[in-house]
Amino acid sequence: MSKKMAIIATKGTLDMAYPPFILASTAAALGYEVQVFFTFYGLQLLRKDLSNVMISPLANPAMPMPVPMPVMVQMLPGMESMATMMMKQKLKKHGVASLEELRDLCLEAEVKFIACQMTVDLFEFDKSEFIENVEYGGAAMFMGFAGDTDICLFV
Amino acid sequence: MNFDKEFDASGLSCPLPILKTKKALADMASGQVLKLVATDCGAVKDMQAFADQTGNSLLSTEEANGSYTFYMKKK
């Protein structure tokens, strides 16, 4: 019987989107059966269009910046878009896969994506904006799988 | 070393060399050898870990000018 891994993805920013997709795709390549439960802001990672997944230098003091940037500057309009653009360029330059590519690789490797129905209702998300390979469920449904895993991570 | 298939993952970062290896092995027959070239230095340990966990055998790892060549025999 194959090993299993479960991940709970709760964040919807560019930096925090990578760990769940990288770990899920890698575990699947190693033969793990993988499920990712997307809840709260993590649901943003299931949108067909991921162009609004951004990174913010604000309240993110550990983010390496080319020049030191005071918080007062970080909050100016356009800073988030600029930081996102720069981060995406950096990722590309270093040969790191895009989120779309990693997500596709997960799906290709039969990683199962579960969207938290409660959060979908809470934020009044339109399911038609999400990719099709998603199952909707609740915490109990996820526990049915997570309770039997070798690795379970909260991101 | 003889090989049946090869691909170049130069310039790609973790976890792409592993994911591409997995995909390349998928349509190969048992006993066939895959040659993979990568420039991600993390791939050296990752390839060994991939082999250990999937049962495929890493026949050799060569390094030359920052480029790594792996030969992986399919289980």
Side-chain angles (χ1 to χ4, degrees), chain A residues 103-130:
Chain A
R103 187 173 71 178
D104 286 346
L105 286 164
C106 284
L107 290 171
E108 221 174 282
E110 292 176 8
V111 170
K112 196 163 158 186
F113 289 161
I114 298 165
C116 170
Q117 180 69 56
M118 182 277 279
T119 325
V120 171
D121 296 340
L122 176 70
F123 293 139
E124 297 174 5
F125 283 141
D126 182 352
K127 285 185 184 172
S128 69
E129 288 177 15
F130 292 144

Side-chain angles (χ1 to χ4, degrees), chain A residues 22 25-27 29 102 105, chain B residues 15-24:
Chain A
I22 287 177
S25 56
T26 303
L102 282 173
L105 286 164
Chain B
L16 289 176
I18 290 293
L19 302 184
K20 305 250 174 201
T21 300
K22 170 76 178 176
K23 278 174 88 166

Side-chain angles (χ1 to χ4, degrees), chain A residues 22 25-26 28-32 93-97 101-102 105 108, chain B residues 11-16 18-20 22-23 46 49-51 53-54:
Chain A
I22 287 177
S25 56
T26 303
L30 294 173
Y32 280 72
K93 190 179 137 202
H94 287 266
V96 179
E101 191 178 357
L102 282 173
L105 286 164
E108 221 174 282
Chain B
L12 300 178
S13 284
C14 168
L16 289 176
I18 290 293
L19 302 184
K20 305 250 174 201
K22 170 76 178 176
K23 278 174 88 166
D46 272 358
F50 174 82
Q53 291 176 70
T54 56

